[in-house]
Amino acid sequence: MDEVRLSSTSYVVLGMIALRGPSTPYDLKRAVGHSVGYFWHFPHAQLYSEPDRLAELGLLELAVEDGGRRRKTYSLTGAGRAALRDWLAAPTDVHFQMRDIAELKLFFNEAGDPENVAALAREQIKQHRDRIAEYENMQARFGADPRAEPRMITLELGLEMEHAALRFWTALAEDDLDSLRAARRPPA
């Protein structure tokens, strides 16, 4: 097979089918919404087009129902499993990317309007508290020990990031960024 360019969405599709087994695009959309969708955002319409492309590349096998809705179900091929395995084993040299609209708004708050900043901070505090509660609820449902359920280790990273964001927005709302900076300094 010639050099094939696979995107992160390609690997989401391959990975989900590897975990779930044969899946329709709708199955993929639901599975992503309840798992990696919490931390990896992309247009879910891609979950309807990407499987066809991967099938054309020989990475997925396509089965279409004979009657009814003629639903498409995709299964992982040996080549698809190998592509996923190679991707998982390859080093990741791409730096962490954070795409946060609130951070963008904070950056472009030209006038430095304290009321806008305070309102943004209050909104972010609520959102991060809500997400922390949601993640902690997941831990309670699925078990807090990531060694027992390895895929839950990503929840630990998500919680850490949410707590860091909550600390930042709270310090900003309380006009206490100095304490946030001091907490980051290593002890002397």
Side-chain angles (χ1 to χ4, degrees), residues 163-179:
H163 280 287
L166 180 59
R167 283 190 300 274
F168 170 80
W169 289 107
T170 301
L172 185 64
E174 295 172 356
D175 196 24
D176 191 18
L177 290 177
D178 289 338
S179 69

Side-chain angles (χ1 to χ4, degrees), residues 31-107:
V32 164
H34 295 292
S35 61
V36 298
Y38 284 101
F39 58 86
W40 188 259
H41 303 284
F42 60 95
H44 286 209
Q46 292 176 356
L47 295 173
Y48 288 87
S49 60
E50 188 63 11
D52 282 332
R53 186 176 89 84
L54 295 173
E56 289 172 12
L57 294 171
L59 303 175
L60 294 178
E61 183 178 313
L62 170 61
V64 181
E65 288 179 343
D66 290 334
R69 295 171 44 197
R70 300 194 43 84
R71 188 176 7 231
K72 294 179 176 182
T73 302
Y74 299 88
S75 304
L76 206 55
T77 64
R81 191 169 305 284
L84 180 61
R85 190 173 35 250
D86 290 349
W87 177 71
L88 290 171
T92 300
D93 60 356
V94 177
H95 183 70
F96 166 80
Q97 295 178 19
M98 182 167 67
R99 295 175 48 136
D100 182 6
I101 298 294
E103 186 177 6
L104 199 58
K105 286 184 174 187
L106 185 60
F107 180 84

Side-chain angles (χ1 to χ4, degrees), residues 94-146:
V94 177
H95 183 70
F96 166 80
Q97 295 178 19
M98 182 167 67
R99 295 175 48 136
D100 182 6
I101 298 294
E103 186 177 6
L104 199 58
K105 286 184 174 187
L106 185 60
F107 180 84
F108 286 114
N109 187 21
E110 285 183 36
D113 183 346
E115 288 181 31
N116 283 347
V117 171
L120 181 63
R122 284 190 304 273
E123 175 187 300
Q124 291 306 300
I125 290 167
K126 180 185 179 326
Q127 287 184 26
H128 290 290
R129 284 182 177 154
D130 289 349
R131 184 55 64 102
I132 288 168
E134 187 174 358
Y135 285 174
E136 288 174 344
N137 185 15
M138 289 172 147
Q139 276 186 323
R141 281 193 329 247
F142 301 114
D145 184 2

Side-chain angles (χ1 to χ4, degrees), residues 152-167:
M152 295 303 285
I153 195 82
T154 55
L155 188 56
E156 291 296 323
L157 179 58
L159 274 165
E160 192 64 30
M161 292 169 59
E162 290 297 331
H163 280 287
L166 180 59
R167 283 190 300 274

Side-chain angles (χ1 to χ4, degrees), residues 1-7 11 53-54 57 59:
M1 182 164 54
D2 291 332
E3 183 66 29
V4 175
R5 292 189 57 119
L6 299 180
S7 67
Y11 292 112
R53 186 176 89 84
L54 295 173
L57 294 171
L59 303 175

